[in-house]
Amino acid sequence: SYVLTQPPSVSVAPGKTARITCGGNNIGSKSVHWYQQKPGQAPVLVIFYDSDRPSGIPERFSGSNSGNTATLTISRVEAGDEADYSCQVWDSSSDHPVFGGGTKLTVL
Amino acid sequence: QVQLQESGPGLVKPSETLSLTCTVSGGSISSYHWTWIRQPPGKGLEWIGYIYFTGNTNYNPSLKSRVTISLDTSKNQFSLNLSSVTAADTAVYYCARACSADSCPFDYWGQGTLVTVSS
């Protein structure tokens, strides 16, 4: 089955840029979605189809996907961005969704 | 605005069946993958399975022998049954929606409900 690998944690100072990676075999050929999850809350879609933003998500959130790595980039990080971020793709061979293990973003 | 709301017991005894219902409001239950996802305490998201509005289902192979997802279009609800539960099934259970086109994201989620397996 398809596996997505994320770093357990990323730390960044306020105002700087955070980059969260999601690794998978030839993930560049798949569509990647990103979810933000704050403590005690349900996940919220922040990036879909690699780089699209749902309405209401700040332009500071962007995504890219190429080769074996997809990346969620958060510019001008704010304290309110502190959360867990998970990537997700569909495994086309089985028609199953697959989630990465999640990355905890800490704002220093 | 589409809303999903999980309901069901918060405590289930080991070896019994966990049963949850997700009520969909603000939109039709047609043409989507209606999905159950869970998250054990302190861990990542795990897909359980989904049901398409036609009634077709697809389950996580690791849970397939114990999972049944059903749909009640007249009530705009879908349900999860997970049998023979153990402490490892303790988790927050979410219902979510994904469109039926290729590689859709989960765009709407319920708030989640914590189910604890304990005697």
Side-chain angles (χ1 to χ4, degrees), chain A:
Chain A
S1 61
Y2 195 78
V3 175
L4 294 173
T5 302
Q6 297 183 238
S9 63
V10 167
S11 298
V12 63
K16 300 299 186 182
T17 298
R19 294 179 179 85
I20 299 172
T21 59
C22 176
N25 184 33
N26 197 26
I27 195 174
S29 67
K30 298 182 180 297
S31 294
V32 180
H33 313 302
W34 290 93
Y35 303 89
Q36 176 194 68
Q37 188 177 21
K38 296 182 178 179
Q41 298 183 21
V44 173
L45 181 67
V46 292
I47 291 290
F48 63 104
Y49 293 124
D50 297 342
S51 58
D52 290 339
R53 274 179 293 102
S55 61
I57 301 301
E59 292 183 6
R60 301 184 297 103
F61 287 79
S62 62
S64 62
N65 184 19
S66 179
N68 293 318
T69 304
T71 303
L72 172 68
T73 301
I74 309 172
S75 304
R76 302 181 300 283
V77 167
E78 303 174 356
D81 297 331
E82 191 164 278
D84 291 328
Y85 292 85
S86 297
C87 57
Q88 179 249 317
V89 301
W90 283 81
D91 182 349
S92 55
S93 63
S94 60
D95 206 20
H96 294 172
V98 178
F99 290 95
T103 297
K104 180 176 179 57
L105 175 68
T106 299
V107 180
L108 301 171

Side-chain angles (χ1 to χ4, degrees), chain B residues 20-99:
Chain B
L20 296 173
T21 296
C22 182
T23 301
V24 180
S25 59
S28 171
I29 207 159
S30 300
S31 301
Y32 290 98
H33 288 124
W34 299 101
T35 304
W36 288 99
I37 294 163
R38 71 181 183 180
Q39 186 171 35
K43 295 188 178 181
L45 299 166
E46 179 183 28
W47 171 69
I48 299 171
Y50 63 73
I51 187 165
Y52 191 48
F53 80 103
T54 57
N56 291 343
T57 56
N58 201 343
Y59 301 137
N60 187 321
S62 68
L63 300 169
K64 187 174 183 176
S65 63
R66 300 193 290 130
V67 173
T68 303
I69 297 176
S70 58
L71 188 65
D72 187 339
T73 54
S74 66
K75 295 182 179 179
N76 254 30
Q77 294 177 336
F78 62 105
S79 299
L80 168 70
N81 278 354
L82 180 65
S83 63
S84 304
V85 297
T86 69
D89 294 309
T90 293
V92 175
Y93 285 75
Y94 295 100
C95 56
R97 182 189 89 165
C99 67

